[in-house]
Amino acid sequence: MLAVPALEMTRVVEFVNEYADLPRAAADELETPYPNATEILAWPGHLPIPDTDDLVATANATFQVFSSAQDGHAFQELNDLLQSARPLPVASESGLCWTVEARTEVLPAALATCILQWLLNHEQARLGTCHGAKCVDAYADASPAGKRRFCSSTCLNRHKVAAYRQRAKPNPGTERN
């Protein structure tokens, strides 16, 4: 049995945004080299990291959890991810740990169990994808208000500027002096 490392949700979100096809396409990064997944995830050196094709496939499957959350289907997608990775809980002195049987299941299990732990403490509506005009990056909202709808302050500011400019446009039927 292989131990599944515990990941931080911010690292999971960054991994999904850097490796999943939809966020990369929206950011016009399909031809850009992938960043180092080991660094993004703070992946333990003793565990193998999958090849790029497997990283992309895993990121795409994980992205589905975020993109389906606003429709209330995050748990369904998460359950699919958990079933494919098959992590097994193991009790230890330090608490509950997860294990898998195959090396190929370590990363998907680490991502899925991180999201599971996060969802046990937050409602699924706090997961989502950016509402920015040209962005679909995933986010996990841990703010007190829980009203986040953008991946970053940059996308929020772009949205506000676009809305302001739209409001400031003169109406076609009115004249300006």
Side-chain angles (χ1 to χ4, degrees), residues 105-130:
E105 297 168 339
V106 176
L107 179 59
L111 296 168
T113 57
C114 176
I115 295 171
L116 173 63
Q117 182 63 42
W118 197 88
L119 283 172
L120 292 175
N121 295 305
H122 303 88
E123 55 193 45
Q124 69 177 314
R126 288 178 170 243
L127 293 181
T129 55
C130 187

Side-chain angles (χ1 to χ4, degrees), residues 137-154:
D137 278 1
Y139 66 82
D141 181 7
S143 70
K147 302 291 182 195
R148 184 173 175 180
R149 297 296 171 252
F150 297 91
C151 67
S152 66
S153 58
T154 301

Side-chain angles (χ1 to χ4, degrees), residues 33-46:
Y34 292 97
N36 186 325
T38 304
E39 290 176 11
I40 291 173
L41 294 167
W43 196 248
H46 68 282

Side-chain angles (χ1 to χ4, degrees), residues 56-152:
V56 170
T58 302
N60 285 334
T62 307
F63 179 78
Q64 293 302 314
V65 177
F66 291 92
S67 65
S68 64
Q70 296 302 317
D71 297 330
H73 300 288
F75 283 103
Q76 179 181 347
E77 293 294 334
L78 179 58
N79 284 330
D80 291 346
L81 192 58
L82 286 164
Q83 287 173 351
S84 69
R86 303 179 322 204
L88 300 170
V90 175
S92 71
E93 291 177 6
S94 60
L96 184 65
C97 300
W98 297 96
T99 62
V100 292
E101 293 182 15
R103 290 187 174 278
T104 58
E105 297 168 339
V106 176
L107 179 59
L111 296 168
T113 57
C114 176
I115 295 171
L116 173 63
Q117 182 63 42
W118 197 88
L119 283 172
L120 292 175
N121 295 305
H122 303 88
E123 55 193 45
Q124 69 177 314
R126 288 178 170 243
L127 293 181
T129 55
C130 187
H131 289 174
K134 296 180 181 178
C135 185
V136 294
D137 278 1
Y139 66 82
D141 181 7
S143 70
K147 302 291 182 195
R148 184 173 175 180
R149 297 296 171 252
F150 297 91
C151 67
S152 66

